[in-house]
Structures are given as structure tokens and as C-alpha cells.
Amino acid sequence: MSSVLYDTPGPRAKRRNVLLSVVFFILLALFLWWIWQTMDDKGQLTWALWKPFTESQAWTTYLLPGLGDTLKAASLAMLIALPLGAVFGISRLSDHRSVRGSAGVVVEFFRAIPVLLLMLFANEFYDRFTNVSSEQRPLYAVVTGLVLYNASVLAEIVRAGILSLPKGQSEAAKAIGLRKGQTMTNVLLPQAVTAMLPAIVSQLVVIVKDTALGGVMIGFTELLNTRGTLAANYANVVQSFVVVAVIYIVLNFILTSFASWLEKRLRRSKKSTGAVLGADNVDDINAGEVGGTAATGAGGGT
């Protein structure tokens, strides 16, 4: 089907696309075969190196506790960053210059600093100025760094989502007498959520993956950190990396699949029923209006 931005390919274009697809899959198969042969030559495919992952000890002692800490840090960061980002995003659209300017400074400041640096600063802050124990300090630092950075990014997503709506939405709300806060909560935000959802989910996936930064620099016992201990005990570095990568892929796939389902559900709920009124329905409506007018006239006459 042709459109403004796309033309239906002709016979030559179809043959060229098929040829390029075949070449790509051949090159991909050769690349995978080369990886397989290289690992086999290095002895990385021997069953002894993969066997620990079929036993419960590797999971209950290393991987599952690390996965639990990863999910704990990511969940806390999501729960705090989402509403905080929404507040700052809406504040950047405020009519008051002081509110708009202050929110803009905060968002731009924390968005410009790498999340790893925020974790390191937070770790030092909790060490020097609080009574947080050394066992809990890495978790606090990771969550703080993730919240500060991702809340600023989510604020920009919220602001862009609201600004992407047609101006007629705000004008119609003003025409019926809604205030700015009512327009935002009842008209703009419900519509913008559906448009913002893919970008928000992408940022949530980033939060899950960025928890690994805390394990690298400040000793947070997340999934990638516990993988290092497992690999040191079983001498299976490559295999542990592969298993952890698969866990991350499955985890993020579940998150994105849930977001896709939620987005479709929201879009369906906002669609009209599409019902078409027939001639009988129109006659009934007109008759009702005439009856209502007559009744009103009679009441006025009395």
C-alpha cells in the first residue's frame, strides 16, 4: 500500500530486498558459526562449565539474591522517579516564572550529570552525613542516583508528551470554564499518558540495567556483582555472563510486553464505540426533544 512517505516496491525492488535478506541471514549464520567454533576451540562449551546452572546452589546462593536486590533497587527507583518526574515535568509548564525556572534548573542539572557520578556522590553523602549502615549504604546510593537522574529524564518525557497534544484541547477546556489545574489533570494528562508510555517504559528498562553500575563501583550486591562471585567459584566467566544476559533480556522483555499490553488497553478504552445511529434512533431522539420542549412550554405556561 502506497502512502505519502512510502511507495509500494516494484518487481526489481522486491527482488533486491529478497537478495539483501538472504545475504544478511547467510552472514549472520556464518558469524554465529564462527562464535560457536571459537568457543568450542577454547573449551567453553564443555558441560562442566555449564553444569552449575542446572543445580540449585548457583541460583539460591548467587543469582537469585542478586536478582532480588536488582529488582528491589529498580522498583524503589521507579516508584519514586515516576511521580517526581511528573511533578517536575508539569512544573516546567507552569504559568509562574519562578516555578517554571526552578524546575528547569533542577531538571537540566541532574540530567547533565552521569548517573554513575550521582551514585558516587550519594554514597559519600550517606557515609559522611548520615547514620545509614555500611550494609544498606550501597542500596541507598544506587536508588538515590537512579531517582535523581531518571526523574529529570522522565520530567522531559512528561513535558514533551503534554506539549505534543493539539492546542485545541486546552482551548476547549478554557471555553467550558476549567482552570489550569483541572485542564491538566482531567484533559491533558489522561491523553498524554498513552503517547508517553513507550518512552516511559524505555526509561524504566534503563533503570533496571543501570543498577549494575552500583555493583561495579560501590559494591552493591546486584545481579552482575553476584555473577562475579559465582564465576570466581566455578571458573565459568563466559557462561555466567551469558546466563546473566539472558536473565536481563527476559526481565526487560516482560516489562516491555506488559507496557505494550497496557498501551493497547488504554487506546481501546479511549476509542469511541463507533455505533451508527439509524433512522429510527434519530426519530426517537427528535421525538424526545420535541416532547421535552412541549413539556417545558406547558410548565412555563402554568
PDB file of all heavy atoms in Angstrom, residues 105-123:
ATOM      1  N   VAL A 105      15.898  24.430  36.127  1.00  0.00           N
ATOM      2  CA  VAL A 105      17.279  24.346  36.623  1.00  0.00           C
ATOM      3  C   VAL A 105      17.544  22.964  37.217  1.00  0.00           C
ATOM      4  O   VAL A 105      18.581  22.341  36.948  1.00  0.00           O
ATOM      5  CB  VAL A 105      17.532  25.450  37.668  1.00  0.00           C
ATOM      6  CG1 VAL A 105      18.863  25.220  38.384  1.00  0.00           C
ATOM      7  CG2 VAL A 105      17.530  26.819  37.004  1.00  0.00           C
ATOM      8  N   VAL A 106      16.620  22.467  38.034  1.00  0.00           N
ATOM      9  CA  VAL A 106      16.801  21.161  38.666  1.00  0.00           C
ATOM     10  C   VAL A 106      16.882  20.052  37.619  1.00  0.00           C
ATOM     11  O   VAL A 106      17.759  19.182  37.660  1.00  0.00           O
ATOM     12  CB  VAL A 106      15.649  20.886  39.657  1.00  0.00           C
ATOM     13  CG1 VAL A 106      15.723  19.449  40.172  1.00  0.00           C
ATOM     14  CG2 VAL A 106      15.706  21.861  40.813  1.00  0.00           C
ATOM     15  N   VAL A 107      15.963  20.088  36.649  1.00  0.00           N
ATOM     16  CA  VAL A 107      15.919  19.041  35.626  1.00  0.00           C
ATOM     17  C   VAL A 107      17.186  19.057  34.773  1.00  0.00           C
ATOM     18  O   VAL A 107      17.818  18.015  34.545  1.00  0.00           O
ATOM     19  CB  VAL A 107      14.659  19.207  34.746  1.00  0.00           C
ATOM     20  CG1 VAL A 107      14.739  18.307  33.509  1.00  0.00           C
ATOM     21  CG2 VAL A 107      13.412  18.874  35.550  1.00  0.00           C
ATOM     22  N   GLU A 108      17.589  20.223  34.306  1.00  0.00           N
ATOM     23  CA  GLU A 108      18.765  20.303  33.450  1.00  0.00           C
ATOM     24  C   GLU A 108      20.040  19.952  34.205  1.00  0.00           C
ATOM     25  O   GLU A 108      20.962  19.366  33.641  1.00  0.00           O
ATOM     26  CB  GLU A 108      18.875  21.709  32.855  1.00  0.00           C
ATOM     27  CG  GLU A 108      17.750  22.089  31.905  1.00  0.00           C
ATOM     28  CD  GLU A 108      17.669  21.169  30.700  1.00  0.00           C
ATOM     29  OE1 GLU A 108      18.714  20.613  30.302  1.00  0.00           O
ATOM     30  OE2 GLU A 108      16.560  20.992  30.166  1.00  0.00           O
ATOM     31  N   PHE A 109      20.099  20.287  35.492  1.00  0.00           N
ATOM     32  CA  PHE A 109      21.294  20.000  36.294  1.00  0.00           C
ATOM     33  C   PHE A 109      21.491  18.494  36.450  1.00  0.00           C
ATOM     34  O   PHE A 109      22.556  17.956  36.160  1.00  0.00           O
ATOM     35  CB  PHE A 109      21.174  20.667  37.661  1.00  0.00           C
ATOM     36  CG  PHE A 109      22.331  20.371  38.575  1.00  0.00           C
ATOM     37  CD1 PHE A 109      23.543  21.024  38.429  1.00  0.00           C
ATOM     38  CD2 PHE A 109      22.194  19.428  39.583  1.00  0.00           C
ATOM     39  CE1 PHE A 109      24.605  20.746  39.270  1.00  0.00           C
ATOM     40  CE2 PHE A 109      23.252  19.140  40.431  1.00  0.00           C
ATOM     41  CZ  PHE A 109      24.456  19.802  40.272  1.00  0.00           C
ATOM     42  N   PHE A 110      20.468  17.806  36.922  1.00  0.00           N
ATOM     43  CA  PHE A 110      20.619  16.376  37.183  1.00  0.00           C
ATOM     44  C   PHE A 110      20.618  15.556  35.897  1.00  0.00           C
ATOM     45  O   PHE A 110      21.169  14.451  35.874  1.00  0.00           O
ATOM     46  CB  PHE A 110      19.505  15.887  38.115  1.00  0.00           C
ATOM     47  CG  PHE A 110      19.684  16.325  39.539  1.00  0.00           C
ATOM     48  CD1 PHE A 110      18.838  17.266  40.101  1.00  0.00           C
ATOM     49  CD2 PHE A 110      20.716  15.823  40.309  1.00  0.00           C
ATOM     50  CE1 PHE A 110      18.998  17.679  41.410  1.00  0.00           C
ATOM     51  CE2 PHE A 110      20.892  16.229  41.622  1.00  0.00           C
ATOM     52  CZ  PHE A 110      20.026  17.162  42.178  1.00  0.00           C
ATOM     53  N   ARG A 111      20.027  16.059  34.848  1.00  0.00           N
ATOM     54  CA  ARG A 111      20.068  15.329  33.578  1.00  0.00           C
ATOM     55  C   ARG A 111      21.450  15.407  32.941  1.00  0.00           C
ATOM     56  O   ARG A 111      21.825  14.529  32.156  1.00  0.00           O
ATOM     57  CB  ARG A 111      19.014  15.886  32.623  1.00  0.00           C
ATOM     58  CG  ARG A 111      18.732  14.979  31.440  1.00  0.00           C
ATOM     59  CD  ARG A 111      17.606  15.497  30.614  1.00  0.00           C
ATOM     60  NE  ARG A 111      17.860  16.825  30.082  1.00  0.00           N
ATOM     61  CZ  ARG A 111      17.282  17.320  29.000  1.00  0.00           C
ATOM     62  NH1 ARG A 111      16.397  16.587  28.339  1.00  0.00           N
ATOM     63  NH2 ARG A 111      17.543  18.533  28.578  1.00  0.00           N
ATOM     64  N   ALA A 112      22.232  16.429  33.279  1.00  0.00           N
ATOM     65  CA  ALA A 112      23.547  16.603  32.685  1.00  0.00           C
ATOM     66  C   ALA A 112      24.627  15.796  33.392  1.00  0.00           C
ATOM     67  O   ALA A 112      25.720  15.615  32.839  1.00  0.00           O
ATOM     68  CB  ALA A 112      23.933  18.085  32.696  1.00  0.00           C
ATOM     69  N   ILE A 113      24.363  15.298  34.601  1.00  0.00           N
ATOM     70  CA  ILE A 113      25.361  14.560  35.365  1.00  0.00           C
ATOM     71  C   ILE A 113      25.191  13.064  35.101  1.00  0.00           C
ATOM     72  O   ILE A 113      24.071  12.550  35.168  1.00  0.00           O
ATOM     73  CB  ILE A 113      25.216  14.854  36.870  1.00  0.00           C
ATOM     74  CG1 ILE A 113      25.383  16.346  37.140  1.00  0.00           C
ATOM     75  CG2 ILE A 113      26.251  14.069  37.674  1.00  0.00           C
ATOM     76  CD1 ILE A 113      25.202  16.730  38.585  1.00  0.00           C
ATOM     77  N   PRO A 114      26.274  12.329  34.822  1.00  0.00           N
ATOM     78  CA  PRO A 114      26.155  10.876  34.626  1.00  0.00           C
ATOM     79  C   PRO A 114      25.593  10.201  35.877  1.00  0.00           C
ATOM     80  O   PRO A 114      25.906  10.585  37.008  1.00  0.00           O
ATOM     81  CB  PRO A 114      27.600  10.434  34.361  1.00  0.00           C
ATOM     82  CG  PRO A 114      28.292  11.661  33.864  1.00  0.00           C
ATOM     83  CD  PRO A 114      27.639  12.807  34.578  1.00  0.00           C
ATOM     84  N   VAL A 115      24.781   9.184  35.659  1.00  0.00           N
ATOM     85  CA  VAL A 115      24.124   8.519  36.783  1.00  0.00           C
ATOM     86  C   VAL A 115      25.142   7.859  37.701  1.00  0.00           C
ATOM     87  O   VAL A 115      24.950   7.806  38.931  1.00  0.00           O
ATOM     88  CB  VAL A 115      23.094   7.502  36.249  1.00  0.00           C
ATOM     89  CG1 VAL A 115      23.770   6.396  35.452  1.00  0.00           C
ATOM     90  CG2 VAL A 115      22.281   6.909  37.392  1.00  0.00           C
ATOM     91  N   LEU A 116      26.254   7.384  37.161  1.00  0.00           N
ATOM     92  CA  LEU A 116      27.282   6.770  37.999  1.00  0.00           C
ATOM     93  C   LEU A 116      27.882   7.794  38.954  1.00  0.00           C
ATOM     94  O   LEU A 116      28.130   7.497  40.130  1.00  0.00           O
ATOM     95  CB  LEU A 116      28.364   6.156  37.123  1.00  0.00           C
ATOM     96  CG  LEU A 116      29.538   5.496  37.864  1.00  0.00           C
ATOM     97  CD1 LEU A 116      29.033   4.415  38.805  1.00  0.00           C
ATOM     98  CD2 LEU A 116      30.546   4.922  36.880  1.00  0.00           C
ATOM     99  N   LEU A 117      28.103   9.009  38.468  1.00  0.00           N
ATOM    100  CA  LEU A 117      28.647  10.057  39.325  1.00  0.00           C
ATOM    101  C   LEU A 117      27.655  10.427  40.431  1.00  0.00           C
ATOM    102  O   LEU A 117      28.056  10.690  41.580  1.00  0.00           O
ATOM    103  CB  LEU A 117      28.981  11.284  38.482  1.00  0.00           C
ATOM    104  CG  LEU A 117      29.864  12.362  39.126  1.00  0.00           C
ATOM    105  CD1 LEU A 117      31.191  11.771  39.552  1.00  0.00           C
ATOM    106  CD2 LEU A 117      30.084  13.511  38.155  1.00  0.00           C
ATOM    107  N   LEU A 118      26.376  10.419  40.118  1.00  0.00           N
ATOM    108  CA  LEU A 118      25.361  10.684  41.140  1.00  0.00           C
ATOM    109  C   LEU A 118      25.371   9.603  42.215  1.00  0.00           C
ATOM    110  O   LEU A 118      25.210   9.897  43.406  1.00  0.00           O
ATOM    111  CB  LEU A 118      23.974  10.769  40.497  1.00  0.00           C
ATOM    112  CG  LEU A 118      23.705  11.980  39.603  1.00  0.00           C
ATOM    113  CD1 LEU A 118      22.356  11.841  38.913  1.00  0.00           C
ATOM    114  CD2 LEU A 118      23.740  13.266  40.426  1.00  0.00           C
ATOM    115  N   MET A 119      25.573   8.349  41.812  1.00  0.00           N
ATOM    116  CA  MET A 119      25.659   7.263  42.797  1.00  0.00           C
ATOM    117  C   MET A 119      26.865   7.439  43.701  1.00  0.00           C
ATOM    118  O   MET A 119      26.780   7.231  44.921  1.00  0.00           O
ATOM    119  CB  MET A 119      25.732   5.913  42.067  1.00  0.00           C
ATOM    120  CG  MET A 119      24.479   5.503  41.347  1.00  0.00           C
ATOM    121  SD  MET A 119      24.695   3.880  40.553  1.00  0.00           S
ATOM    122  CE  MET A 119      23.133   3.735  39.682  1.00  0.00           C
ATOM    123  N   LEU A 120      27.994   7.829  43.131  1.00  0.00           N
ATOM    124  CA  LEU A 120      29.209   8.016  43.935  1.00  0.00           C
ATOM    125  C   LEU A 120      29.040   9.172  44.914  1.00  0.00           C
ATOM    126  O   LEU A 120      29.439   9.069  46.084  1.00  0.00           O
ATOM    127  CB  LEU A 120      30.402   8.257  43.012  1.00  0.00           C
ATOM    128  CG  LEU A 120      30.820   7.076  42.125  1.00  0.00           C
ATOM    129  CD1 LEU A 120      31.907   7.496  41.146  1.00  0.00           C
ATOM    130  CD2 LEU A 120      31.294   5.912  42.980  1.00  0.00           C
ATOM    131  N   PHE A 121      28.466  10.284  44.448  1.00  0.00           N
ATOM    132  CA  PHE A 121      28.208  11.409  45.348  1.00  0.00           C
ATOM    133  C   PHE A 121      27.246  11.001  46.465  1.00  0.00           C
ATOM    134  O   PHE A 121      27.444  11.364  47.636  1.00  0.00           O
ATOM    135  CB  PHE A 121      27.630  12.589  44.570  1.00  0.00           C
ATOM    136  CG  PHE A 121      28.675  13.472  43.972  1.00  0.00           C
ATOM    137  CD1 PHE A 121      28.735  13.674  42.599  1.00  0.00           C
ATOM    138  CD2 PHE A 121      29.602  14.119  44.763  1.00  0.00           C
ATOM    139  CE1 PHE A 121      29.704  14.484  42.033  1.00  0.00           C
ATOM    140  CE2 PHE A 121      30.579  14.939  44.212  1.00  0.00           C
ATOM    141  CZ  PHE A 121      30.631  15.121  42.848  1.00  0.00           C
ATOM    142  N   ALA A 122      26.185  10.273  46.114  1.00  0.00           N
ATOM    143  CA  ALA A 122      25.216   9.846  47.117  1.00  0.00           C
ATOM    144  C   ALA A 122      25.858   8.907  48.133  1.00  0.00           C
ATOM    145  O   ALA A 122      25.565   8.990  49.342  1.00  0.00           O
ATOM    146  CB  ALA A 122      24.031   9.152  46.433  1.00  0.00           C
ATOM    147  N   ASN A 123      26.723   8.037  47.671  1.00  0.00           N
ATOM    148  CA  ASN A 123      27.397   7.120  48.588  1.00  0.00           C
ATOM    149  C   ASN A 123      28.268   7.873  49.587  1.00  0.00           C
ATOM    150  O   ASN A 123      28.269   7.573  50.791  1.00  0.00           O
ATOM    151  CB  ASN A 123      28.241   6.133  47.783  1.00  0.00           C
ATOM    152  CG  ASN A 123      28.807   5.014  48.645  1.00  0.00           C
ATOM    153  OD1 ASN A 123      28.062   4.301  49.317  1.00  0.00           O
ATOM    154  ND2 ASN A 123      30.123   4.849  48.627  1.00  0.00           N
TER     155      ASN A 123
END
